[in-house]
Amino acid sequence: MAPLDFYLTQPWVFPALAGVLGLLVGSFLNVVIHRLPIMLERQWRSQCREVLGGTDESPAEKRFNLVLPRSRCPQCGHQVTALENIPVLSYLFLRGKCSECGSRISLRYPVVELLAATAAVTVAWHFGPTWQAAALLGLSWSLLALSFIDLQHQLLPDNITLPLVWSGLLLSLIPLFADTSASIVGATAGYLALWLVYWAFKLATRKEGMGYGDFKLLAALGAWLGWQMLPVIILLASLVGSLVGITMMLFAGHRREVPIPFGPYLAAAGWVAALWGPDLVQAYLSWHW
């Protein structure tokens, strides 16, 4: 039986396989979310030492990347075994605690794994076994990593945002989601839109309202989806961000001067626009007119 015929008779198989892959990728995303900011900080410190003429870091400090050293408990140093690293199941089996010292394991780990799997199932069900699905899986997982890094560190690393910009422009040559002209204009307009908001807010208040990582993230989404989706993304992100911010100030005691990262809202809005953007635009136009 040909693969296409098998999919037509068993359409649940591809989303199920995508969900399993999403769980595995989610486990790796947890490593990226935890280690990439540390790697960047060490890189910045190393560059500062080179400029200021300080001492080099020790060999132990240099051996830190997304692969080495192996995952350990931050409290007791217990090395996580393969059985303790099964997505979601290990967290449930260990009851959210280290098997050695009993310290709490962050709930972020199973949440990221479940979100990565949910996004994968949704994309696979929506697009089926197509190149669009394969590309959007990579975008979804990248946006998920960016969102949690921004939530924890208020940082959107260039290591992720810039490859997204270039990959979106390259995909426009096929094209998968937007043609080349729409992609180039989308990347440019996405960056400039938030850049202008940033400077308008800074000139008016003498404060920085957002970071440059937000500009690059919206440029990446514009490169992937084209300039036509930018109004949808900005509107959704602003609406949800405003509602969450107001709710946090009213019910969680969040102070106005404490910044709220905008990256997760941009990422969520971009993901929604990638799947249902044209439908949302059509529904809005039908309702409005």
Side-chain angles (χ1 to χ4, degrees), residues 41 46-47 81 104 108 141 160 206 212 256 269 276 281:
E41 182 181 357
S46 176
Q47 293 171 350
T81 65
R104 298 293 301 180
R108 186 204 76 203
W141 294 328
I160 302 178
R206 299 185 183 277
Y212 277 65
R256 293 182 59 183
W276 301 289
V281 173

Side-chain angles (χ1 to χ4, degrees), residues 57-102:
E57 58 185 346
S58 64
E61 289 180 322
K62 291 182 178 179
R63 195 169 56 251
F64 188 89
N65 50 48
L66 297 180
V67 179
L68 296 173
R70 290 186 59 181
S71 299
R72 299 176 181 271
C73 172
Q75 302 298 326
C76 66
H78 167 68
Q79 184 170 291
V80 178
T81 65
L83 291 177
E84 295 173 339
N85 206 27
I86 302 174
V88 181
L89 296 180
S90 292
Y91 184 89
L92 296 176
F93 178 77
L94 294 171
R95 297 181 180 179
K97 297 180 180 180
C98 172
S99 61
E100 188 70 21
C101 66

Side-chain angles (χ1 to χ4, degrees), residues 198 201-209 257:
Y198 167 87
F201 183 84
K202 188 172 183 179
L203 292 174
T205 64
R206 299 185 183 277
K207 298 179 182 179
E208 294 185 355
E257 62 271 16

Side-chain angles (χ1 to χ4, degrees), residues 24 35 53-54 78 80 96 117 122 162 173 182 196 206 240 242:
L24 299 175
R35 295 195 181 194
H78 167 68
V80 178
T122 305
L162 294 184
L173 298 174
L196 292 172
R206 299 185 183 277
V240 176
S242 299

Side-chain angles (χ1 to χ4, degrees), residues 1-230:
M1 181 182 293
L4 181 58
D5 295 334
F6 178 77
Y7 171 74
L8 293 176
T9 57
Q10 305 290 338
W12 58 270
V13 173
F14 181 61
L17 293 176
V20 173
L21 179 61
L23 288 173
L24 299 175
V25 172
S27 181
F28 174 71
L29 292 181
N30 277 315
V31 176
V32 175
I33 293 167
H34 173 69
R35 295 195 181 194
L36 184 56
I38 300 176
M39 293 165 55
L40 292 174
E41 182 181 357
R42 292 190 176 194
Q43 179 182 347
W44 298 331
R45 290 181 181 274
S46 176
Q47 293 171 350
C48 291
R49 280 194 292 265
E50 290 180 3
V51 174
L52 300 176
T55 58
D56 294 335
E57 58 185 346
S58 64
E61 289 180 322
K62 291 182 178 179
R63 195 169 56 251
F64 188 89
N65 50 48
L66 297 180
V67 179
L68 296 173
R70 290 186 59 181
S71 299
R72 299 176 181 271
C73 172
Q75 302 298 326
C76 66
H78 167 68
Q79 184 170 291
V80 178
T81 65
L83 291 177
E84 295 173 339
N85 206 27
I86 302 174
V88 181
L89 296 180
S90 292
Y91 184 89
L92 296 176
F93 178 77
L94 294 171
R95 297 181 180 179
K97 297 180 180 180
C98 172
S99 61
E100 188 70 21
C101 66
S103 60
R104 298 293 301 180
I105 301 174
S106 174
L107 186 62
R108 186 204 76 203
Y109 291 92
V111 168
V112 169
E113 291 162 355
L114 288 173
L115 287 176
T118 302
V121 171
T122 305
V123 169
W125 187 266
H126 187 83
F127 286 98
T130 60
W131 289 113
Q132 286 92 339
L136 195 54
L137 285 177
L139 176 64
S140 302
W141 294 328
S142 299
L143 294 177
L144 184 60
L146 285 170
S147 297
F148 276 86
I149 292 175
D150 200 22
L151 284 172
Q152 289 187 319
H153 303 279
Q154 295 185 5
L155 172 71
L156 294 171
D158 289 350
N159 307 59
I160 302 178
T161 55
L162 294 184
L164 284 181
V165 174
W166 291 113
S167 60
L169 293 174
L170 289 174
L171 287 175
S172 70
L173 298 174
I174 300 177
L176 288 182
F177 301 99
D179 58 44
T180 303
S181 59
S183 178
I184 294 174
V185 175
T188 306
Y191 188 93
L192 289 178
L194 294 187
W195 182 84
L196 292 172
V197 172
Y198 167 87
W199 278 107
F201 183 84
K202 188 172 183 179
L203 292 174
T205 64
R206 299 185 183 277
K207 298 179 182 179
E208 294 185 355
M210 62 181 65
Y212 277 65
D214 297 317
F215 314 163
K216 299 168 190 175
L217 176 55
L218 188 56
L221 295 173
W224 274 72
L225 307 177
W227 63 267
Q228 297 89 339
M229 288 296 106
L230 289 179

